[in-house]
Amino acid sequence: MDTYIASVRSFLVKAKTDFQDQGFPIGLTTQGIKYKGKREEDENKQRAFRKAELIRLFEGDEMRTLAQDKKLHHCYWILHLGLYTGARVNEICQINPQTDILKDEESGYWYLWIDEKTEADPRIRKSVKTGESRRLPIHKKLIELGILSYFERLKATGSKLLFPEWQPVNQRASGEAEKWGRKFFRDIGVRDETPNGKILGMHAFRHTLLTYGAMQKPPLNLQYISGHAQGDLPVTAEGAAKGYYTQSMFNSVGETTELLNMLDYGISFHKIPGA
């Protein structure tokens, strides 16, 4: 948003200088303009969670409560999926349990099919920011915590949303989920509004996945998994030579899942009872 305002501001300054004698309105200004779009302000300026913040988030008593209360499992799972996929929150929320949770026949690994063309809940319009469908592997930690049981329960109910407790807003599946995430982060004290170092909401998980992947030995380049557009991050032969894994090296669900499974945050998790 700041980039667009700056561009318009420069245009107005130039236009006022060159054309005010021809009637250009000198009162036009960008001052006071407030962003009214669907994305939270400055979401792309958010940083990765620090280790202590991840411990507070996933090992705290609040997460234990989410794990123990079946009515709150949607809250539990959106946070864990965010951590281990780095996917955009709307991409996660719009997943249809009836069509988009699949098992790879060759490797036996489970994955989420991120695709705007598969069947959707009639209240939403699916979207994939890059426009490209992708197979999103399910990390072994999520399997261990019992996510497949959650998926099966949803499928049995006929739900076409991964988190049916949150109602769609303006044809988007994630509106209420995003609001809940921002409030939860604030309530437990991990929200950070420091300029150029913010933690505002679920979008911070995208930076977290990539950052902690790069910290592994050897470093893991997980930009394909998180769904970053080609060119968002550098993927070069030089980077691969230094030990960075790139998507071009992994052409199957099995290989991509094994890549993601190398990611270890080194924290403990509250497991859902009976999972």
Side-chain angles (χ1 to χ4, degrees):
M1 180 61 179
D2 290 341
T3 302
Y4 298 131
I5 291 178
S7 298
V8 174
R9 184 185 301 119
S10 298
F11 166 78
L12 292 177
V13 170
K14 180 65 174 175
K16 290 175 186 178
T17 301
D18 294 347
F19 302 111
Q20 61 176 307
D21 60 341
Q22 300 178 35
F24 188 88
I26 62 174
L28 287 181
T29 177
T30 59
Q31 185 176 359
I33 290 179
K34 182 70 175 176
Y35 178 61
K36 296 182 179 180
K38 297 178 180 178
R39 298 170 65 177
E40 182 176 352
E41 274 190 289
D42 294 335
E43 68 173 20
N44 285 322
K45 296 182 180 179
Q46 294 184 64
R47 61 169 171 82
F49 284 97
R50 300 186 180 100
K51 182 67 173 291
E53 293 167 334
L54 288 179
I55 291 173
R56 175 69 185 93
L57 179 56
F58 288 97
E59 297 186 16
D61 290 339
E62 295 85 355
M63 189 64 73
R64 180 185 291 109
T65 298
L66 298 184
Q68 293 177 344
D69 189 341
K70 189 175 182 179
K71 294 180 180 179
L72 298 177
H73 283 179
H74 58 298
C75 302
Y76 174 93
W77 283 119
I78 194 171
L79 296 171
H80 289 76
L81 278 167
L83 180 68
Y84 276 109
T85 66
R88 297 174 182 86
V89 63
N90 195 58
E91 291 179 341
I92 297 174
C93 290
Q94 71 188 10
I95 288 170
N96 182 349
Q98 311 302 321
T99 58
D100 301 338
I101 301 169
L102 303 168
K103 187 176 184 179
D104 181 51
E105 293 183 0
E106 180 179 349
S107 66
Y109 287 125
W110 289 87
Y111 65 94
L112 305 175
W113 181 230
I114 306 297
D115 189 347
E116 57 188 23
K117 296 180 181 179
T118 56
E119 183 182 6
D121 182 284
R123 296 168 294 174
I124 71 169
R125 178 182 297 172
K126 283 187 172 182
S127 64
V128 180
K129 184 177 179 182
T130 61
E132 297 180 359
S133 302
R134 71 185 189 280
R135 295 174 176 84
L136 184 59
I138 299 176
H139 193 282
K140 62 183 180 182
K141 178 57 70 173
L142 297 176
I143 303 291
E144 177 187 324
L145 293 174
I147 199 167
L148 295 182
S149 296
Y150 177 75
F151 291 159
E152 284 300 316
R153 192 169 84 226
L154 284 176
K155 192 170 184 179
T157 67
S159 175
K160 295 182 180 179
L161 288 176
L162 199 58
F163 309 111
E165 292 83 357
W166 285 311
Q167 298 297 309
V169 178
N170 296 327
Q171 294 187 301
R172 297 179 76 249
S174 63
E176 290 189 358
E178 291 170 340
K179 291 179 182 178
W180 177 86
R182 292 194 289 270
K183 182 178 184 300
F184 187 74
F185 291 165
R186 183 177 63 249
D187 289 348
I188 68 171
V190 298
R191 184 177 173 94
D192 185 354
E193 299 192 28
T194 304
N196 300 317
K198 297 181 179 181
I199 293 289
L200 301 176
M202 294 286 296
H203 199 83
F205 283 129
R206 292 176 58 70
H207 302 279
T208 301
L209 180 94
L210 297 177
T211 298
Y212 282 78
M215 291 166 58
Q216 303 291 295
K217 296 181 180 180
L220 310 175
N221 189 323
L222 303 176
Q223 73 170 35
Y224 170 81
I225 292 171
S226 64
H228 280 84
Q230 201 62 243
D232 280 0
L233 295 171
V235 182
T236 64
E238 180 183 2
K242 292 180 179 179
Y244 285 86
Y245 294 100
T246 66
Q247 175 57 19
S248 62
M249 302 177 185
F250 298 88
N251 299 314
S252 70
V253 171
E255 291 174 323
T256 309
T257 303
E258 289 169 5
L259 167 65
L260 181 61
N261 281 343
M262 295 179 191
L263 178 63
D264 183 0
Y265 287 105
I267 57 179
S268 299
F269 294 92
H270 294 293
K271 192 172 182 179
I272 291 176

